[in-house]
Amino acid sequence: MDAATLSELRKPRAYPAVSVLMPTERRAPRRRQDPIRLRNLLAEARRRLHSDPRVDPDVADEVMHNLERAAAAADPAHAEGLALFAAPGGEHHAFAVDQPVDQRVIVDTTFATRDLIAASTRTSRYWLLALSDHETRLWDGRGGELTEVVRHGFPATPEPVDEERVGRQSPRGLHDGDERHRQYLREIVARLEAVLVRDRRPVVVAGVVRRQALFDELAGTRVTVAGRIDGSHETTPPSTLARLARPVLDAYEDLREVAVLAELETARRLHRYAAGLDEVVRLVEEGRGEHLIVERGYYAPAVRSGEELVPFEGVPGVLRGADVVDDVVDNVIETTLEYGGEVTFVSDGFLVDHDRIALVTRF
């Protein structure tokens, strides 16, 4: 999912905007439980809409019709989670999520996009670049599956060799063969950067060590390299490449989480740190959030009291009433992004010393 789609989904809607999040099973026989789970969640959404005094019965029926259209369009067979959104005016969306989601129904003035945001920032989505002197290939990595990219100049092949020039030296002392490979990799870097402009993800680089070194020199800091797979992989099957990439990505994710803790400690020393939902909510709504770090499984319903939100312990849906916000953590995530901040999701329990949510402030 690209940033433009996420941005559009985060915009406020007319009440009620309904979000249905559901974990899915990829393998039989447990996969047969998915339709039953989905019917139960749709029934819960219907009950909530028709019991809400703010929702006209005709509007409730319309939104449910939109939600059922989203459910009919969903294809959970190759995903770990499903996100369905519906709102008045015929709006409906269905998305497969490349990571597990917690089951819940949320009714608010915005869609619950945190799982989509988390999936877009995790290394379950990555690019794999298989460097080769003959044909460099780019793969779209999503979870354990790789799909070859056949656009944006990929696969890339070098210019034909001019046999008369082989062995000559350039004015810089480089043999023409070396210069030809340098130019070839320079073009690959340019094509990869064009892909990253549209969809920035970490990159796993596969190839022999000398080509990886030259790639690093030419790419510099413009490409986020998650890790490397050594060796020639021009003809390696995608299933094997995905298996080789998994430990590389796991190590990258571990390093990212450790780096987050170091960033929080630095922010604390600079007095640009906040932790706990009450303080984080206030600072984010003031537009001061530079980097929000939150545990993936942290949810908190809240009640509006005047201009303030009062959080409560529990899962979305436990509180009912006109002033209830199903998940204030989701609101904080969306507000941080609206003000141009960054959001990082970490494992549950990782922020035990930071009350499960922490913020690096701009000032």
Side-chain angles (χ1 to χ4, degrees), residues 170-243:
S170 70
R172 294 185 299 169
L174 293 174
H175 285 283
D176 285 337
D178 295 332
E179 183 60 33
R180 186 172 61 86
H181 283 298
R182 177 177 289 271
Q183 180 58 32
Y184 172 50
L185 276 182
R186 189 178 289 116
E187 292 174 0
I188 288 171
V189 169
R191 295 176 188 183
L192 178 60
E193 288 178 344
V195 172
L196 294 175
V197 167
R198 295 179 174 87
D199 190 351
R200 179 158 290 279
R201 311 181 200 171
V203 179
V204 175
V205 181
V208 296
V209 173
R210 68 179 185 279
R211 294 300 172 225
Q212 291 193 34
L214 183 55
F215 173 85
D216 289 346
E217 176 189 335
L218 296 173
T221 59
R222 301 188 303 276
V223 177
T224 300
V225 176
R228 310 175 193 287
I229 303 172
D230 292 337
S232 177
H233 294 283
E234 181 179 349
T235 60
T236 302
S239 58
T240 303
L241 282 174
R243 177 174 54 79

Side-chain angles (χ1 to χ4, degrees), residues 273-286:
Y273 162 89
L277 194 54
D278 291 341
E279 185 70 5
V280 168
V281 167
R282 181 180 64 81
L283 292 170
V284 166
E285 290 186 345
E286 291 175 1

Side-chain angles (χ1 to χ4, degrees), residues 11-324:
K11 292 179 180 178
R13 264 72 179 174
Y15 189 88
V18 179
S19 306
V20 173
L21 288 305
M22 187 186 88
T24 58
E25 298 289 347
R26 291 190 176 188
R27 298 175 182 171
R30 298 181 66 182
R31 192 167 58 196
R32 291 195 290 267
Q33 299 174 7
D34 287 346
I36 299 171
R37 184 182 293 116
L38 181 56
R39 284 198 300 269
N40 291 338
L41 287 170
L42 293 178
E44 180 185 344
R46 185 181 298 276
R47 284 194 299 271
R48 290 191 59 180
L49 289 173
H50 281 282
S51 64
D52 191 330
R54 293 169 291 176
V55 182
D56 183 271
D58 290 339
V59 174
D61 288 338
E62 179 204 349
V63 173
M64 278 308 306
H65 175 67
N66 296 337
L67 197 59
E68 288 163 356
R69 291 175 65 190
D75 180 15
H78 302 291
E80 296 186 58
L82 189 65
L84 305 178
F85 304 132
E91 185 176 12
H92 60 91
H93 308 275
F95 297 97
V97 186
D98 293 333
Q99 65 175 36
V101 303
D102 292 322
Q103 181 172 302
R104 60 200 191 276
V105 174
I106 296 176
V107 183
D108 206 334
T109 56
T110 59
F111 294 137
T113 57
R114 65 181 295 168
D115 291 295
L116 299 182
I117 296 167
S120 72
T121 58
R122 279 177 60 99
T123 54
S124 57
R125 296 176 70 250
Y126 62 97
W127 300 111
L128 191 149
L129 184 70
L131 294 172
S132 168
D133 291 346
H134 306 292
E135 184 178 60
T136 292
R137 306 166 78 181
L138 182 65
W139 299 87
D140 179 349
R142 297 172 185 266
E145 298 181 358
L146 286 176
T147 304
E148 186 173 5
V149 176
V150 290
R151 59 190 185 282
H152 308 308
F154 289 100
T157 56
E159 292 292 329
V161 177
D162 183 348
E163 298 293 343
E164 294 183 1
R165 297 181 59 188
V166 173
R168 295 181 189 173
Q169 280 193 330
S170 70
R172 294 185 299 169
L174 293 174
H175 285 283
D176 285 337
D178 295 332
E179 183 60 33
R180 186 172 61 86
H181 283 298
R182 177 177 289 271
Q183 180 58 32
Y184 172 50
L185 276 182
R186 189 178 289 116
E187 292 174 0
I188 288 171
V189 169
R191 295 176 188 183
L192 178 60
E193 288 178 344
V195 172
L196 294 175
V197 167
R198 295 179 174 87
D199 190 351
R200 179 158 290 279
R201 311 181 200 171
V203 179
V204 175
V205 181
V208 296
V209 173
R210 68 179 185 279
R211 294 300 172 225
Q212 291 193 34
L214 183 55
F215 173 85
D216 289 346
E217 176 189 335
L218 296 173
T221 59
R222 301 188 303 276
V223 177
T224 300
V225 176
R228 310 175 193 287
I229 303 172
D230 292 337
S232 177
H233 294 283
E234 181 179 349
T235 60
T236 302
S239 58
T240 303
L241 282 174
R243 177 174 54 79
L244 294 172
R246 189 67 264 162
V248 173
L249 294 166
D250 288 342
Y252 174 72
E253 191 70 24
D254 290 343
L255 288 174
R256 286 183 67 207
E257 292 197 345
V258 171
V260 160
L261 289 183
E263 181 181 358
L264 288 176
E265 290 307 314
T266 300
R268 196 199 298 265
R269 291 195 300 271
L270 297 173
H271 305 290
R272 294 175 50 205
Y273 162 89
L277 194 54
D278 291 341
E279 185 70 5
V280 168
V281 167
R282 181 180 64 81
L283 292 170
V284 166
E285 290 186 345
E286 291 175 1
R288 293 175 59 185
E290 181 175 278
H291 188 184
L292 177 71
I293 300 98
V294 60
E295 292 184 0
R296 292 189 182 93
Y298 183 35
Y299 308 96
V303 174
R304 294 190 185 277
S305 177
E307 297 296 322
E308 296 184 353
L309 284 171
V310 181
F312 286 82
E313 293 296 326
V315 297
V318 297
L319 297 177
R320 304 291 173 84
D323 296 324
V324 169

